[in-house]
Amino acid sequence: MTERTIYLDPDPRDWRSRKIRVRATRWYAKISLDRDGYVDSTSSRRDDLELPTAYTEAVDRARDASIDRIWYDGFPGSFSCGNGPRWVDLFVQFPHAEATVEALRLAELERDYSGLHALADRLALPIDDWLAPGERELVRGVDFDSQPGAFLRFLRGKAKGRGVRLNGRATAGSVWVRPTLSLAEKQRREMFPEQYPGWEDRWTGYVESENAPVRPWVGGRDQGLSYGATPVHFRAVETPGSRDCPCGMDLREPFGDGKEHTAHHAAWAFGIRVPRNLEWWGDLAVVTTQSPISWRKLTYQVARMPQKENHYDFRSWSHLDEPEATPDNMRAYLLKVNGYVIGYLAAHDTSEHRSWDLIDGSQYGDEDDTLRPQIILVWVADSYRRQGVGATLVQALADDFGCQIPDVSWSSPVSDAGQRLARRVSPAGIWVS
């Protein structure tokens, strides 16, 4: 199928002309009604820009049915579409492309929506029958036509949307299903009926007939150990109200099924995995603003850990542009253990300092303009804390600059954890800036 454009108005060269574009993809044809110029021209006359309700309902019905058909055939992707008033998109299998074009033309020019409804009726799948309660075998070529594996994935998605658990298994030529409704899903839909209009409980209380087919056992886990079991009951109790994990993430992540929190927490606890393409010859690497971009990106990734944990507005490392020297010699020290970056110290050089005896509440001493290395931030992966890693990083900074640890300056204010580290490595006092 080649891409083509069908013009709906007499003059196809007029920028206001409405048009239908047909584009072919690997799985389906995309039929797009372009009303962009038409809407711009009518808006100058202050006409009603929105499509009639009957129009959008017919389009939605046809689109839902056609998308279900494409997923039913095994398409693994998603769809992004316009729904007026400027664009109307439909996705259909190739045999239905011409009928879709004609249905859109009638709907747009004559406000005749029968073609869209007929298309929806023709493409509609017997999903309610497939998800009816009871154990049964759906046979390919009799009950469905797509590949059993793809058909089972499609059914699982539809069952989830109805709150149903689909106990299913695909074979070479069939799919075994036993849809059931959990007590939690039943309670949720009964408590909030406005969120589930038209929902009907067909599964609770269903009794299997004596002539019901028996699913063949194929090995693996024992079969049917939950069949006929008593549902689990739930109670409302007081739970801990804290929403913050020590790693800095929210304990109740709204997206991603908690995967983002899990990945971040693992990195916070054990360190950042060193990319395979980095040749790391020693234990400690000193990354500057002129280092290769792969090293600066790794530093930027590590800097996210203390930012999230302490809820800082900005990361302590942000040098991701072209390599360039900085006046203050900005640099980062990365300590690697077992293939993970478990320690991070960001530093630069400055000549504005005051002495501090590390006594809580005491005032800073006199100013000092000696050029010193200044610690901007120190972070250690949680599993390696209180094992001397922070002191190792501070010593590396002092050795690199050619001074003693008491000569190192600390960025003010010094956090509680930073003060504990400072008292351990420089008990007589530190410089702060």
Side-chain angles (χ1 to χ4, degrees), residues 6 17 66 162 185 190 230 279 338 360:
I6 299 96
S17 176
S66 61
R162 289 164 167 77
E185 291 293 345
E190 291 177 345
T230 303
E279 295 186 2
N338 297 325
D360 292 337

Side-chain angles (χ1 to χ4, degrees), residues 215-417:
R215 184 184 305 191
W217 186 64
V218 294
R221 293 182 298 178
D222 290 336
Q223 188 178 23
L225 296 183
S226 292
Y227 184 66
T230 303
V232 174
H233 292 271
F234 298 90
R235 298 288 184 268
V237 297
E238 293 293 331
T239 58
S242 174
R243 297 184 59 186
D244 291 331
C245 180
C247 72
M249 297 288 284
D250 195 321
L251 285 173
R252 289 181 283 183
E253 288 293 324
F255 306 109
D257 298 327
K259 294 180 180 179
E260 181 182 357
H261 181 196
T262 301
H264 175 83
H265 193 101
W268 170 79
F270 304 115
I272 301 294
R273 182 71 179 177
V274 176
R276 297 180 182 273
N277 62 337
L278 283 183
E279 295 186 2
W280 198 317
W281 299 107
D283 297 322
L284 186 74
V286 183
V287 181
T288 70
T289 58
Q290 301 180 76
S291 298
I293 187 59
S294 55
W295 285 96
R296 289 184 281 130
K297 283 184 176 180
L298 175 61
T299 306
Y300 183 76
Q301 184 181 2
V302 176
R304 182 177 184 264
M305 297 295 111
Q307 180 200 15
K308 294 291 291 186
E309 179 178 354
N310 299 289
H311 305 289
Y312 296 143
D313 292 332
F314 306 100
R315 301 193 193 192
S316 51
W317 181 272
S318 59
H319 300 277
L320 298 177
D321 296 326
E322 295 181 357
E324 62 175 349
T326 57
D328 58 354
N329 189 24
M330 180 70 186
R331 57 200 181 276
Y333 294 79
L334 304 180
L335 182 63
K336 181 190 70 168
V337 173
N338 297 325
Y340 289 84
V341 179
I342 59 97
Y344 163 71
L345 185 149
H348 65 169
D349 299 336
T350 182
S351 56
E352 297 179 0
H353 320 276
R354 288 178 180 271
S355 61
W356 186 34
D357 56 13
L358 288 173
I359 298 176
D360 292 337
S362 64
Q363 300 295 318
Y364 292 158
D366 296 333
E367 294 184 3
D368 178 85
D369 58 0
T370 304
L371 184 67
R372 304 176 186 274
Q374 182 196 48
I375 298 173
I376 299 174
L377 183 145
V378 179
W379 175 83
V380 177
D382 183 65
S383 297
Y384 295 89
R385 293 177 183 176
R386 294 170 293 279
Q387 299 181 36
V389 175
T392 299
L393 291 168
V394 176
Q395 184 65 62
L397 173 65
D399 294 343
D400 192 42
F401 189 82
C403 66
Q404 300 299 316
I405 287 183
D407 296 322
V408 172
S409 183
W410 300 65
S411 178
S412 177
V414 185
S415 66
D416 293 340

Side-chain angles (χ1 to χ4, degrees), residues 79-101:
F79 299 89
S80 177
C81 59
N83 197 26
R86 296 180 178 272
W87 295 89
V88 176
D89 295 327
L90 289 173
F91 312 88
V92 297
Q93 296 163 307
F94 296 111
H96 305 288
E98 296 303 325
T100 304
V101 171

Side-chain angles (χ1 to χ4, degrees), residues 115-163:
L116 291 172
H117 286 295
L119 178 66
D121 292 337
R122 188 161 57 252
L123 296 177
L125 294 168
I127 298 174
D128 289 337
D129 294 339
W130 290 335
L131 295 180
E135 174 86 42
R136 62 195 179 283
E137 182 183 24
L138 303 175
V139 180
R140 186 180 187 184
V142 177
D143 301 295
F144 68 96
D145 296 315
S146 58
Q147 293 183 356
F151 178 59
L152 182 58
R153 287 194 298 271
F154 171 77
L155 276 188
R156 289 193 191 281
K158 290 301 175 181
K160 184 177 181 180
R162 289 164 167 77

